[in-house]
Amino acid sequence: ISFSAVENALSSLKDCQSYIDTGMSIATRVAFDLVESFNDAEDVNKMENVMLEYAAMERKLNHYITAVEETVNQVKQEKPEKIPDLLKLVEEKFTALESQNSDSDLQRNEKYVYFKDQLKDMRRQFRQSDNENDTIEQIDEDIAVTQSQMNFICSITQMQMKNPVRNKICGHTYEKDAILKIIQARKQKKKKVRCPKFGCSHADVKESDLMLDEALKRVIESHNKQ
């Protein structure tokens, strides 16, 4: 197998990552749909298992990509007179990486962790909303609504968010377009972006740290429908 063939295969492998990302996004949306319909027990657990399966696929893909890259780099550095059996070398490295697998690896998968956090928020928010509807005569409705809406306000625009994104470093949420405009403007000046949330000490907000807060978005939409 030639270097060019290996590099072409590597490029195709990296494209597979987008398919895994899409699958995990779909599983997440289905789980949230189930929570919204208050069917959040066995069926939601099935979606959690699907997320773990995708996490396992992602781990396997990443290991194979690593094995290929390390093999190619090693052979190029050694510059042997005859190119060795690259496929065999890749398989040996891949097997070594896979032998170190553990269930805890999957539990730490970034997308799975975020899925679990978002799912927890969804369950808490919708159960809270349901309880408030059941006991609405026992509480001060104006205070309840005000407290709920406070979580929906973007610290940048001071308006209700439509597409909230959560900073995975500090946990604060912003309107997507608003925070991206700030990041782009500061980037042009080669300056860092401090988290706009009052009192937050995080001083280097990056676009790569922002993740769509699907749970909050759905709660806001549900609140507005009511």
Side-chain angles (χ1 to χ4, degrees), residues 118-160:
Q118 291 269 281
L119 196 59
K120 182 179 179 181
D121 286 345
M122 282 283 290
R123 282 172 164 159
R124 178 177 56 80
Q125 291 283 359
F126 277 94
R127 283 172 181 166
Q128 177 181 336
S129 176
D130 190 42
N131 291 335
E132 285 176 357
N133 289 335
D134 292 341
T135 61
I136 196 68
E137 295 179 357
Q138 303 173 26
I139 62 175
D140 187 329
E141 184 176 0
D142 291 336
I143 294 177
V145 170
T146 300
Q147 290 176 338
S148 177
Q149 288 178 330
M150 285 290 288
N151 298 324
F152 303 162
I153 302 301
C154 172
S155 55
I156 302 171
T157 66
Q158 295 303 310
M159 297 176 64
Q160 187 182 90

Side-chain angles (χ1 to χ4, degrees), residues 2 7 12 47 71 99-100 105 121 131 136 155 168 194 196 202 204 218:
S2 66
E7 290 172 353
S12 298
M47 289 301 102
T71 298
S99 67
Q100 301 172 16
D105 294 340
D121 286 345
N131 291 335
I136 196 68
S155 55
K168 63 184 181 182
R194 176 175 289 277
H202 182 46
D204 189 13
R218 286 174 181 248

Side-chain angles (χ1 to χ4, degrees), residues 160-166 174-177 212-213 217 220-221:
Q160 187 182 90
M161 292 179 281
K162 295 181 179 179
N163 291 299
V165 290
R166 183 178 299 276
Y174 334 97
E175 178 62 41
K176 180 179 179 180
D177 288 344
L212 176 64
D213 196 327
K217 181 178 181 180
I220 292 174
E221 291 173 347

Side-chain angles (χ1 to χ4, degrees), residues 14-93:
K14 290 181 178 179
D15 289 339
C16 291
Q17 180 64 60
S18 63
Y19 300 127
I20 294 176
D21 290 342
T22 298
M24 296 182 95
S25 295
I26 292 173
T28 298
R29 290 197 295 271
V30 170
F32 290 171
D33 287 341
L34 292 169
V35 173
E36 277 193 82
S37 62
F38 298 99
N39 184 18
D40 64 338
E42 183 177 350
D43 290 337
V44 175
N45 290 337
K46 290 179 181 178
M47 289 301 102
E48 183 174 337
N49 290 333
V50 169
M51 289 293 289
L52 286 172
E53 289 175 6
Y54 275 119
M57 282 191 281
E58 184 174 61
R59 178 180 62 186
K60 193 169 187 177
L61 176 64
N62 289 337
H63 280 171
Y64 204 83
I65 290 174
T66 298
V68 172
E69 291 177 335
E70 288 184 356
T71 298
V72 170
N73 290 335
Q74 179 182 338
V75 173
K76 285 183 176 180
Q77 288 177 0
E78 294 176 353
K79 298 179 180 179
E81 294 182 3
K82 181 181 178 181
I83 296 179
D85 187 337
L86 296 178
L87 181 57
K88 181 180 179 181
L89 292 176
V90 167
E91 289 178 345
E92 288 175 353
K93 285 185 178 293

